[in-house]
Amino acid sequence: MSQLPSVHLRAIEPEDLDLLYRIENDIKLWNIGATNVPYSRYTLHDYIANASGDIYTDRQVRMMIENSEGKIVGIVDIVNFDPSNRRAELGLVIEEPYRQMGYAQSVMNEVADYAVGVLHLHQLFAFIDITNTACVALFRKLGYRESATLQDWLFDGREYHDAIVMQTVF
């Protein structure tokens, strides 16, 4: 791919509720992260309404990913923020129609700039299902290193999968 698509990261707005509800309740995504229970619209609405937008208060920030046409292509999370050690966990979901188009790489570049330039982080890390070879390859391409393999860490409803902890140091 010669040029990556441009992306814009923005705060979650109330009109994003339906998309957030769909993503959070997509059972196919539960095995790639720590969530394995459905969220109600009320709970998600309450989250949107009450998130301060301050990572020091909330210990997380969630941003919508828009492409150059203003269409939402996914969500990126910076969670488990640890200000003492200047590190946080990265979570990323690209909507299926926009996968394999370079959006994930564009977002990760933007998040790295934000993490260093605004949050002054020293590290980002992610837990990745070992069977998600495309994701593992992307993180490697962007300089993340494997720091651990966690046995039977993620459960997809049928079987357990190992997870790789990948991290980058700025």
Side-chain angles (χ1 to χ4, degrees):
M1 181 173 295
S2 60
Q3 186 175 357
L4 294 173
S6 69
V7 293
H8 171 69
L9 305 179
R10 65 162 177 81
I12 292 182
E13 299 288 348
E15 52 270 12
D16 298 321
L17 178 61
D18 289 338
L19 174 70
L20 186 61
Y21 180 81
R22 188 175 74 245
I23 287 175
E24 290 292 351
N25 291 296
D26 185 345
I27 294 171
K28 295 179 295 204
L29 298 174
W30 287 359
N31 69 319
I32 63 170
T35 300
N36 61 1
V37 295
Y39 285 94
S40 70
R41 284 184 188 282
Y42 177 81
T43 299
L44 295 172
H45 180 271
D46 192 50
Y47 167 78
I48 292 169
N50 293 308
S52 71
D54 179 0
I55 196 166
Y56 286 91
T57 300
D58 298 337
R59 295 294 192 247
Q60 67 176 354
V61 64
R62 173 171 272 181
M63 295 175 281
M64 305 306 289
I65 306 161
E66 290 183 346
N67 66 13
S68 58
E69 290 90 44
K71 294 191 189 314
I72 298 171
V73 300
I75 300 176
V76 63
D77 298 319
I78 299 173
V79 298
N80 297 322
F81 174 60
D82 179 348
S84 298
N85 295 298
R86 296 177 38 213
R87 67 175 170 243
E89 181 180 349
L90 173 64
L92 173 64
V93 174
I94 300 295
E95 288 276 273
E96 200 152 341
Y98 301 101
R99 292 181 188 159
Q100 304 297 318
M101 300 173 74
Y103 284 108
Q105 185 173 346
S106 290
V107 170
M108 289 180 63
N109 290 336
E110 290 286 322
V111 167
D113 290 346
Y114 178 72
V116 173
V118 176
L119 301 177
H120 310 291
L121 293 183
H122 176 64
Q123 296 182 40
L124 282 174
F125 65 93
F127 297 91
I128 303 171
D129 185 326
I130 201 165
T131 64
N132 189 344
T133 55
C135 187
V136 171
L138 174 63
F139 274 73
R140 282 185 185 140
K141 178 179 180 177
L142 295 175
Y144 283 69
R145 296 174 318 172
E146 296 175 29
S147 58
T149 300
L150 304 169
Q151 303 292 311
D152 291 345
W153 198 254
L154 301 169
F155 185 64
D156 69 6
R158 295 181 311 279
E159 61 185 347
Y160 288 92
H161 298 261
D162 293 351
I164 300 172
V165 180
M166 298 194 79
Q167 69 184 109
T168 190
V169 177
F170 302 110

